[in-house]
């Protein structure tokens, strides 16, 4: 897997590229300077098409890229809510099950007619934080989490990614706990920040007990409101908001 990933990065090591973040509710994209991690354009957001089928999402990406300035011919890095091995999506979270065991690299290269590399969305956020953000130069184990429609996780050890860590799906109290602790659960159940923080405490407490990390990083759209919930958590491990907030997935192509 790592060899393929390294090859994939070399394939898209142009100075500029297109970063795409596919989620269960929204698809975001922008032009990126892959050396500095800076966005070179406005970040566009489209709704994820209902059902999240491969063809529908590919068509949405075509529309999004067509509206990015000076994007003709640029390579594309895509982060996706699934386990990804050798460009094949091995699972599907909040999108169609048609993605399972699909060669997503090949699909997108055919539909977009340009070089494409696909990786797990939380891994993308983790890489962005390791290269440009709160995990940069941090020694030991960093657990990057993204709180959104679900919970994504990435493990970074001494700056290196350990891929496809699906720790958002830990079973706690007999349930897949992202159903209780994701930001979507807060919105769905109209929880207060304090009520939601109690669930986050249970989730991060379990991660802490299992992994003894050196740092937690919290990303996803809600991380811009980190003052409302991070101070409510009582952990032994330092926990900080992601530097790149909700753009971390877009920056993964660096």
């Amino acid at each position: 897997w790592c060899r393929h990933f390294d090859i994939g990065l070399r394939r898209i090591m142009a100075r500029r590229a297109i970063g795409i973040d596919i989620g269960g509710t929204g698809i975001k994209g922008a032009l990126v300077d892959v050396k500095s991690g800076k966005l070179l354009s406005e970040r566009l957001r489209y709704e994820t098409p209902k059902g999240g089928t491969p063809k529908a999402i590919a068509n949405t990406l075509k529309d999004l890229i067509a509206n990015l300035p000076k994007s003709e011919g640029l390579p594309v890095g895509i982060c996706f809510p699934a386990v990804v091995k050798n460009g094949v999506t091995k699972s599907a979270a909040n999108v169609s099950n048609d993605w399972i065991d699909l060669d997503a690299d090949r699909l997108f290269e055919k539909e977009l007619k340009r070089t494409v590399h696909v990786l797990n969305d939380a891994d993308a956020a983790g890489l962005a934080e390791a290269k440009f953000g709160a995990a940069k130069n941090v020694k030991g184990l960093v657990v990057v989490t993204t709180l959104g429609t679900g919970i994504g996780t990435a493990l970074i050890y001494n700056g290196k990614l350990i891929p496809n860590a699906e720790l958002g799906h830990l079973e706690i109290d007999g349930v897949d706990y992202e159903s209780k602790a994701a930001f979507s659960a807060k919105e769905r159940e109209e929880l207060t920040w304090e009520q939601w923080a109690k669930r986050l405490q249970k989730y991060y407490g379990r991660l802490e007990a299992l992994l003894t990390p050196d740092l937690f990083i919290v990303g996803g759209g809600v991380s811009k409101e980190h003052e409302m919930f991070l101070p409510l958590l009582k952990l032994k491990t330092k926990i900080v908001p992601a530097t790149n907030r909700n753009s971390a997935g877009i920056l993964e192509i660096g």
Side-chain angles (χ1 to χ4, degrees):
W1 187 96
C2 288
R3 180 177 178 275
H4 174 84
F5 183 69
D6 288 341
I7 291 170
L9 286 181
R10 288 197 294 271
R11 288 168 67 200
I12 60 172
M13 281 301 286
R15 179 76 190 193
R16 295 187 305 131
I18 298 167
I20 301 290
D21 184 357
I22 296 174
T25 56
I27 297 174
K28 294 159 287 194
L31 295 184
V32 180
D33 183 319
V34 299
K35 305 300 182 184
S36 69
K38 303 293 185 183
L39 298 187
L40 300 176
S41 73
E42 177 186 2
R43 190 185 69 169
L44 302 182
R45 186 187 188 280
Y46 285 58
E47 293 295 312
T48 301
K50 186 175 181 180
T53 64
K55 184 66 174 179
I57 286 180
N59 286 336
T60 300
L61 262 59
K62 287 181 186 177
D63 292 341
L64 190 156
I65 291 171
N67 284 292
L68 287 173
K70 300 179 181 178
S71 63
E72 185 174 353
L74 290 180
V76 181
I78 298 174
C79 59
F80 194 84
V83 170
V84 182
K85 293 187 68 175
N86 301 324
V88 175
T89 45
K90 306 298 289 185
S91 62
N94 304 305
V95 290
S96 169
N97 285 340
D98 291 345
W99 289 98
I100 297 174
D101 291 325
L102 180 71
D103 191 333
D105 271 5
R106 180 177 296 178
L107 167 73
F108 286 126
E109 288 193 340
K110 177 182 177 182
E111 294 293 330
L112 302 178
K113 296 180 172 52
R114 60 183 78 207
T115 300
V116 174
H117 185 62
V118 179
L119 74 160
N120 173 266
D121 52 0
D123 284 351
L127 285 171
E129 289 299 312
K131 187 167 184 179
F132 304 116
K136 186 175 182 180
N137 299 323
V138 175
K139 297 297 183 182
L141 178 62
V142 179
V143 179
V144 180
T145 61
T146 58
L147 303 175
T149 307
I151 298 178
T153 60
L155 300 181
I156 306 292
Y157 185 71
N158 289 340
K160 302 296 184 182
L161 174 71
I162 303 170
N164 291 318
E166 291 288 290
L167 297 175
H169 298 293
L170 283 178
E171 183 177 313
I172 302 175
D173 295 338
V175 299
D176 180 336
Y177 210 63
E178 78 165 12
S179 68
K180 294 290 188 179
F183 182 59
S184 60
K186 179 186 184 302
E187 293 185 309
R188 182 177 63 252
E189 299 181 42
E190 299 182 344
L191 302 175
T192 65
W193 291 108
E194 290 76 14
Q195 289 170 328
W196 187 48
K198 288 181 180 179
R199 298 186 182 187
L200 293 178
Q201 176 70 37
K202 184 173 289 190
Y203 173 70
Y204 285 106
R206 179 64 63 86
L207 285 182
E208 189 174 57
L210 290 172
L211 300 173
T212 316
D214 296 279
L215 178 67
F216 284 121
I217 298 175
V218 180
V222 72
S223 62
K224 64 181 178 291
E225 299 180 86
H226 60 91
E227 299 94 342
M228 302 300 296
F229 63 95
L230 288 189
L232 302 176
L233 303 181
K234 307 302 178 185
L235 302 166
K236 297 177 182 178
T237 305
K238 184 178 180 180
I239 185 166
V240 300
T243 300
N244 296 296
R245 302 293 194 271
N246 207 27
S247 294
I250 294 174
L251 301 180
E252 112 284 344
I253 54 178

